[in-house]
Amino acid sequence: AYECQRWGFDEVNLNCGCPSKKVSKRCFGARLMLQPDLVRQITHAMRRRVSIPVTVKCRLGADDRDSYPELQEFITTVKASGVTHFLIHARKCLLSGLSTTQNRSIPPIKYDWVYNLCNDYPELDFSLNGHVQTLAEARTHLNYHLQDERRTSVLVGNGSSPASIGGEKCNIAPPPRKGLKGVMLGRAAFTTPFILADADRQIFGQRKNPIDTKPQLIEQYLRYCDRVTESEGSSKKLALALVKPLTNLFHGEVGIKHYKACLLHEEIIRKKNFDIRDVLTMSMKHLSNVDRSAFGLDGR
């Protein structure tokens, strides 16, 4: 926590939600939900070392500790350390029997539990995570505490009937008196990153987004890559790190598999080409429906 603060981060988050076997057998991640008092001790020690906020990300439960009263016990115990913000993945997890991938989809989603926490702990802040696929869904969750006529809902259902969110069935609780502090996009932010280009306008109420098109984004990102490479020196490790955010930028385009293979393997690993601009130029040749001239890369 101290090192995070020293490097200038705004907050430090203790992850009590990762269900992977590698993490679980070392007694961190979601296994910590089985030991609420240990989490309280850890976060208390973290808060004593730093002045930035310490937050906790967790599931609704783990293994057979999966009732709402047990979730309340976890929140009540941990908040005694001074933690005031919990980021909740709205599913339980099974530490044995399900893989990490299965734990992202098989345990049922229960958004209503997170809404209920907002009511039960008005002095705390809660952010919701779990199968939120679009900005419209994020906005619906953020506005759920408002009156019906003030929110545009992508949900189907009422306080007692199941609703469908991105194909997920869930129960929707009556609107809480206090809204969520935030909504976390996980896999969607990685697999379809350009949906975030409209976040300033859709989520934060700005009149205009700072970047509206992929060519604008590429232009700015390549300038960033140039600065980092000049500072750190070119290498395979750095080149792979710099191109990774570009892997799903063209999600859904024809030729995306060949684009990714070229971007990550063909150019950098096989050809040892560490020039990010050139790597991207060569990789985009596989995207037959994308006009490379709009990106200023057609002449390379």
Side-chain angles (χ1 to χ4, degrees), residues 8 28 52 74 127 138 182 209 263 276 278 300:
F28 56 101
I52 58 176
F74 179 84
S127 292
N209 295 304
L263 190 72
I276 305 303
D278 191 53
R300 295 176 67 89

Side-chain angles (χ1 to χ4, degrees), residues 15-172:
N15 189 323
C16 300
C18 178
S20 81
K21 292 181 180 178
K22 186 175 181 179
V23 166
S24 180
K25 70 181 182 181
R26 290 172 171 79
C27 198
F28 56 101
R31 186 166 291 278
L32 285 171
M33 289 205 72
L34 305 178
Q35 302 180 67
D37 195 61
L38 177 58
V39 178
R40 179 192 63 78
Q41 294 176 51
I42 293 171
T43 51
H44 176 70
M46 292 167 68
R47 293 188 70 252
R48 291 186 62 183
R49 287 287 286 158
V50 299
S51 57
I52 58 176
V54 173
T55 62
V56 169
K57 185 173 188 293
C58 63
R59 294 273 184 144
L60 297 182
D63 290 342
D64 57 356
R65 278 188 64 88
D66 60 353
S67 68
Y68 187 73
E70 286 168 320
L71 175 61
Q72 288 179 301
E73 179 190 348
F74 179 84
I75 298 294
T76 300
T77 300
V78 176
K79 79 165 187 170
S81 71
V83 170
T84 59
H85 185 192
F86 292 83
L87 298 91
I88 314 287
H89 185 157
R91 305 178 193 272
K92 67 169 286 184
C93 66
L94 290 172
L95 300 174
S96 299
L98 293 181
S99 68
T100 304
T101 301
Q102 290 171 324
N103 266 310
R104 288 198 296 264
S105 58
I106 292 179
I109 205 88
K110 295 180 179 179
Y111 294 130
D112 53 318
W113 284 28
V114 186
Y115 293 141
N116 287 339
L117 289 174
C118 293
N119 276 336
D120 294 340
Y121 299 90
E123 75 280 13
L124 300 178
D125 291 318
F126 294 94
S127 292
L128 180 146
N129 170 238
H131 205 79
V132 181
Q133 300 293 304
T134 67
L135 292 182
E137 290 177 13
R139 192 172 64 248
T140 295
H141 286 299
L142 290 169
N143 293 339
Y144 195 74
H145 65 293
L146 302 177
Q147 295 299 315
D148 287 349
E149 63 270 16
R150 293 178 57 197
R151 54 187 166 96
T152 303
S153 180
V154 297
L155 309 183
V156 179
N158 54 37
S160 59
S161 63
S164 177
I165 303 178
E168 289 279 348
K169 291 290 185 180
C170 62
N171 290 319
I172 300 301

